[in-house]
């Protein structure tokens, strides 16, 4: 193996947590081929670290016995796999048509104002990361958004302060 | 505390809203929802079995052949509820099974992400056993050895509800080896996704299930011939599968009669309304119910405003006008009107809302969610966004509308690798047909000199 290739496989001392390795191994049993556990493996690592650091890619690849490019390709495709550090809480704001028709843009601008950040950014206190998301399937209650695992809608700008207060 | 009222968090927590009470929902007329509780609590195994749940697994697996099951579905004319409307029975009849073929997979497409669609969420959160029962019957008909529920990652509550139900079903012997003493083995794995609308395309979904990027695959071979890991694979939407138990329990003729004279499509459908209607939400109604009746149930448009247009079943369906409200909502009638029934959940647009703005929003969605695999989709959709943004600001150029028309045509069916771009083209084409003057109003200047970027592309 060339020195270059060796570098791309460097895990920079990143080790999968033993519990995560066990969880990934358990996933393997659900599929015909180990590559299939790739997305779940990325999610397992993300649950522990909040995001998926570059060094985790070759570590996951080794665990699954697949090439790092396969894992990297997947990790950069899916919108819920985070490749940069995120805040303690992730806000997903539905920007699709039904919410658009029920004042999504007002909610979005209110969030920008309230948090002082734009999409793709994290508040300086590391509390919130703000991202747009595909139709959340809460169209009858638009505009809708999620904070971590919780779905809310309709959310009026005046509700934001109290709503966000619950996530410290 | 600022100016939010006390209890804001609880008040704005999202809950599915089915606007029919238990007293209105009967087994004979509401096969999808009659077991649901008014409280919205999950129907657990005990509740489900107490209301006849899983009885048809016993009778079908022990008394009917897979071909019988498929024949019933065909006669019932159950058409795919994910939006394409393909006959479920016909799809199942095309699955390779029998001597010499490996047992394959039954995949439930629970990646509900079509803009304006919020129906499968209700079924999965509140009644996962109906889906599981439908999957067992589907697996029996298609000789599938394992089922996957491909659930979008954001549906947290549905994931918990399904996981609990799977455990209950295994404990009770409805999943596992020798189900109901029939000798048939089958189990289900819940797989949660990590985002991206394109995962709802059935071959992209299979790639995603295999742990790959969700690019669609070339067809043929169709999944029923060669799907997940090269095995025969059937992909059905949640609501489609949830229709199967009642068809087998009460018979195909009963199911066809649910829609009666309204439609040649059988059964009922979860219809719904979103946008600025008085009472958004869901209703289980016969196929062929008119848009007018559904909008009436929703109390009309908020604050007495006027309806300008509506999408019959999601962001990838063509806009219709108020005059189309009297059409029966079924796959053929809406198709003949130049749109698609899609998921059957209406999105209403009011008189004062901008069609150009709506289309800009829709095409931003489709451009972002393109998987990037084929050039017309990857490059054509951002182009439409650029033009629509300019027109919305009144900064469109002469010729922009013609380019949009060209894009709507050239991104249509058969011109791209999968149905993503045609889905984006359909609302655009209809908007240009019905509301051309709104686009014309956005043309603010003569065509600029070649090579001059008059409007920044920005981030798409």
């Amino acid at each position: 193996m060339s020195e270059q290739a060796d570098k791309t496989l460097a895990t920079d001392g990143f080790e999968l947590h033993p519990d995560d390795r066990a969880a990934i191994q358990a996933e393997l049993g659900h599929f015909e081929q180990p590559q299939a556990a790739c997305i779940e493996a990325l999610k397992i690592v993300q649950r522990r670290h909040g995001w998926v650091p570059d060094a985790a890619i070759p570590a996951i690849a080794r665990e699954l016995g697949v090439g790092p490019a396969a894992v990297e390709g997947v990790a950069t495709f899916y919108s819920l796999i985070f490749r940069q550090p995120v805040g303690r809480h992730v806000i997903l704001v539905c920007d699709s048509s039904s919410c658009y028709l029920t004042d999504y843009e007002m909610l979005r601008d209110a969030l920008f104002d309230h948090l002082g950040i734009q999409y793709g950014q994290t508040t300086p206190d590391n509390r919130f990361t703000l991202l747009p998301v595909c139709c959340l399937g809460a169209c009858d209650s638009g505009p809708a958004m999620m904070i971590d695992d919780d779905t809310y809608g309709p959310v009026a700008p005046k509700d934001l302060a109290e709503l966000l207060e619950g996530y410290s | 505390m600022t100016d939010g009222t006390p209890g804001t968090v609880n008040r704005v927590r999202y809950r599915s809203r089915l606007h029919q009470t238990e007293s209105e929902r009967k087994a004979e007329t509401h096969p999808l929802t009659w077991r649901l509780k008014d409280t919205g609590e999950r129907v657990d195994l005990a509740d489900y079995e107490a209301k006849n749940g899983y009885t048809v697994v016993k009778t079908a697996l022990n008394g009917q052949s897979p071909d019988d099951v498929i024949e019933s579905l065909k006669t019932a004319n159950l058409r795919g509820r994910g939006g394409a409307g393909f006959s479920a029975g016909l799809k199942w009849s095309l699955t390779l099974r029998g001597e010499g073929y490996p047992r394959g997979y039954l995949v439930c497409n629970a990646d509900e992400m079509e803009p304006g669609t919020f129906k499968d969420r209700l079924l999965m959160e509140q009644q996962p056993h109906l889906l599981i029962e439908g999957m067992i019957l589907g697996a029996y008909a298609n000789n599938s050895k394992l089922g996957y529920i491909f659930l979008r990652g954001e549906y947290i509550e549905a994931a918990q509800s399904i996981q609990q139900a799977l455990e209950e079903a295994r404990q009770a012997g409805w999943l596992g080896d020798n189900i109901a003493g029939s000798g048939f083995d089958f189990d289900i794995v819940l797989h949660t996704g990590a985002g991206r609308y394109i995962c709802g395309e059935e071959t992209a979904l299979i790639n995603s299930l295999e742990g790959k990027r969700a690019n669609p695959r070339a067809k043929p071979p169709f999944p029923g011939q060669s799907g997940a890991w090269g095995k025969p694979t059937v992909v059905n939407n949640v609501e489609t599968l949830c229709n199967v138990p009642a068809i087998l329990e009460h018979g195909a003729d009963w199911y066809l009669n649910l829609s009666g004279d309204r439609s040649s499509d059988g059964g009922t459908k979860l219809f719904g309304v979103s946008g600025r209607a008085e009472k958004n939400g869901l209703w289980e109604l016969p196929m062929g119910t008119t848009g007018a009746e559904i909008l009436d149930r929703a109390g009309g448009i908020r604050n007495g405003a006027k309806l300008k247009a509506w999408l019959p079943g999601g962001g990838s369906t063509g806009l219709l006008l108020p005059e189309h409200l009297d059409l029966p909502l079924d796959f053929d009638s809406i198709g003949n009107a130049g749109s698609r029934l899609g998921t059957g959940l209406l999105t209403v647009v009011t008189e004062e809302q901008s069609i150009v703005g709506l289309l800009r929003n829709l095409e931003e969605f489709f451009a972002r969610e393109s998987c990037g695999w084929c050039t017309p989709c990857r490059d054509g959709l951002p182009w439409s966004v650029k033009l629509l943004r300019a027109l919305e600001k009144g900064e469109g150029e002469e010729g922009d509308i013609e380019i949009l028309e060209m894009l709507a045509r050239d991104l249509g069916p058969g011109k791209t690798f999968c149905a993503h771009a045609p889905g984006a083209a359909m609302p655009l084409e209809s908007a240009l047909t019905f509301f051309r003057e709104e686009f014309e109003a956005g043309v603010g200047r003569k065509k600029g000199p070649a090579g001059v970027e008059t409007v920044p592309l920005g981030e798409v």
Side-chain angles (χ1 to χ4, degrees):
Chain A
M1 195 178 277
S2 72
E3 199 180 321
Q4 184 62 38
D6 219 21
K7 265 186 198 157
T8 62
L9 287 176
T11 50
D12 294 335
F14 183 94
E15 296 282 348
L16 292 172
H17 190 279
D19 293 351
D20 293 350
R21 291 189 63 179
I24 293 169
Q25 288 298 325
E27 278 298 317
L28 290 175
H30 292 155
F31 307 103
E32 272 194 38
Q33 289 175 6
Q35 163 95 35
C38 183
I39 295 170
E40 196 53 41
L42 289 162
K43 288 166 77 170
I44 288 166
V45 168
Q46 182 162 294
R47 270 197 288 277
R48 182 168 304 278
H49 301 276
W51 63 298
V52 179
D54 288 350
I57 300 292
I60 291 170
R62 276 181 198 162
E63 191 64 31
L64 297 176
V66 302
V71 180
E72 177 69 14
V74 166
T76 52
F77 186 89
Y78 294 95
S79 52
L80 296 181
I81 302 296
F82 306 136
R83 297 306 305 280
Q84 292 176 33
V86 293
R88 292 192 295 283
H89 307 287
V90 175
I91 302 175
L92 300 175
V93 191
C94 175
D95 64 358
S96 296
S97 44
S98 295
C99 287
Y100 169 79
L101 291 168
T102 47
D103 297 329
Y104 149 73
E105 291 182 342
M106 271 171 61
L107 174 63
R108 175 200 60 195
D109 292 347
L111 277 162
F112 286 177
D113 270 1
H114 190 90
L115 298 171
I117 55 173
Q118 306 278 309
Y119 279 141
Q121 297 179 343
T122 299
T123 53
D125 61 0
N126 208 34
R127 190 167 155 205
F128 293 110
T129 295
L130 191 61
L131 295 168
V133 71
C134 281
C135 179
L136 277 178
C139 320
D140 52 347
S141 301
M145 59 187 252
M146 286 183 85
I147 309 175
D148 298 337
D149 288 352
D150 306 319
T151 306
Y152 297 104
V155 182
K158 68 176 172 55
D159 298 328
L160 280 178
E162 197 185 326
L163 199 55
L164 296 176
E165 220 168 75
Y167 300 85
S168 51
Chain B
M1 278 290 294
T2 53
D3 53 353
T5 50
T8 297
V9 174
N10 196 42
R11 178 171 55 79
V12 301
R13 189 176 291 279
Y14 179 73
R15 292 176 190 88
S16 284
R17 288 185 286 188
L18 178 69
H19 293 303
Q20 288 158 317
T21 60
E22 283 184 69
S23 57
E24 296 171 67
R25 293 181 264 113
K26 307 283 182 214
E28 304 78 45
T29 47
H30 296 75
L32 295 170
T33 60
W34 71 279
R35 296 180 180 94
L36 293 181
K37 301 177 180 186
D38 285 343
T39 56
E41 288 167 298
R42 184 176 76 97
V43 175
D44 67 14
L45 183 68
D47 301 330
Y48 190 69
E49 287 183 338
K51 288 189 164 178
N52 239 6
Y54 289 110
T55 51
V56 72
V57 165
K58 251 185 275 180
T59 53
L61 267 56
N62 290 300
Q64 297 188 38
S65 71
D67 286 333
D68 294 340
V69 173
I70 291 169
E71 215 41 56
S72 293
L73 253 65
K74 277 189 185 168
T75 309
N77 202 15
L78 169 62
R79 299 180 66 173
R81 304 294 199 243
F86 192 76
S87 157
L90 184 57
K91 185 186 258 190
W92 288 9
S93 73
L94 298 170
T95 306
L96 294 181
R97 61 198 163 87
E99 212 49 40
Y101 294 113
R103 289 185 67 189
Y105 299 99
L106 177 76
V107 182
C108 169
N109 186 344
D111 199 53
E112 182 166 73
M113 250 184 257
E114 178 68 27
T117 303
F118 49 100
K119 65 185 178 66
D120 296 340
R121 176 199 277 274
L122 170 82
L123 294 171
M124 294 188 288
E125 287 181 352
Q126 298 187 16
Q127 191 179 221
H129 283 291
L130 181 64
L131 173 61
I132 293 170
E133 186 172 15
M135 287 184 73
I136 296 167
L137 297 165
Y140 177 66
N142 290 284
N143 198 29
S144 314
K145 69 173 172 184
L146 186 64
Y148 290 103
I149 297 174
F150 190 106
L151 180 70
R152 69 178 297 187
E154 297 92 334
Y155 276 11
I156 307 291
E157 205 181 311
Q160 290 163 348
S161 177
I162 290 168
Q163 205 61 271
Q164 283 173 3
L166 288 174
E167 278 158 32
E168 288 171 344
R170 273 185 213 116
Q171 290 278 322
W174 298 117
L175 291 171
D177 294 339
N178 192 22
I179 295 169
S182 65
F184 183 74
D185 308 332
F186 178 67
D187 208 335
I188 296 173
V189 172
L190 174 66
H191 174 88
T192 56
R196 298 305 296 266
Y197 171 75
I198 195 64
C199 292
E201 199 280 343
E202 67 175 1
T203 59
L205 185 150
I206 290 171
N207 270 336
S208 187
L209 188 64
E210 290 187 2
K212 297 171 183 162
R213 294 167 76 93
N215 298 125
R217 294 177 176 181
K219 294 190 270 194
F222 289 90
Q225 303 162 306
S226 176
W229 300 287
K231 304 287 194 321
T233 300
V234 188
V235 184
N236 287 123
N237 166 260
V238 173
E239 189 186 354
T240 310
L241 290 162
C242 285
N243 273 291
V244 176
I247 293 174
L248 298 184
E249 187 181 356
H250 304 298
D253 292 334
W254 163 82
Y255 189 79
L256 260 181
N257 281 331
L258 285 178
S259 53
D261 297 334
R262 297 164 184 247
S263 172
S264 59
D265 296 349
T268 58
K269 169 98 195 65
L270 277 179
F271 288 108
V273 177
S274 71
R276 290 191 194 170
E278 280 288 351
K279 200 172 81 173
N280 287 337
L282 294 165
W283 295 264
E284 182 181 1
L285 298 167
M287 281 301 270
T289 300
T290 63
E293 183 180 340
I294 293 166
L295 196 53
D296 193 44
R297 282 173 183 264
I301 303 298
R302 235 174 257 176
N303 304 324
K306 272 181 71 182
L307 178 74
K308 179 179 185 171
W310 52 293
L311 293 162
S316 62
T317 62
L319 284 163
L320 292 172
L321 300 172
E323 69 198 52
H324 295 116
L325 281 173
D326 291 330
L327 290 174
L329 285 168
D330 65 24
F331 290 102
D332 293 340
S333 304
I334 299 301
N336 291 337
S339 183
R340 296 191 308 125
L341 178 63
T343 59
L345 280 83
L346 282 50
T347 307
V348 296
V349 187
T350 64
E351 197 63 67
E352 74 281 5
Q353 294 186 307
S354 161
I355 294 291
V356 178
L358 172 62
L359 264 292
R360 188 261 303 156
N361 172 271
L362 282 169
E363 300 307 333
E364 283 175 341
F365 171 85
F366 287 111
R368 181 181 73 200
E369 296 305 323
S370 169
C371 79
W373 182 258
C374 72
T375 310
C377 180
R378 184 187 59 234
D379 291 358
L381 292 173
W383 192 1
S384 75
V385 170
K386 178 185 159 182
L387 297 172
L388 289 162
R389 283 179 179 170
L391 288 165
E392 189 184 13
K393 283 188 263 178
E395 294 172 4
E397 285 184 3
E398 281 178 7
D400 282 0
I401 294 172
E402 288 71 21
I403 297 174
L404 282 175
E405 285 176 327
M406 177 198 75
L407 286 168
R409 193 169 57 241
D410 290 352
L411 293 174
K415 307 259 175 52
T416 56
F417 197 69
C418 81
H420 182 84
M426 191 174 239
L428 181 59
E429 191 185 21
S430 62
L432 288 165
T433 304
F434 294 138
F435 300 100
R436 196 181 171 91
E437 69 288 354
E438 288 195 34
F439 291 85
E440 283 166 353
V443 178
R445 56 181 152 197
K446 299 257 184 235
K447 191 161 177 57
V452 176
E453 183 78 350
T454 49
V455 180
L457 177 58
E459 208 178 306
V460 172

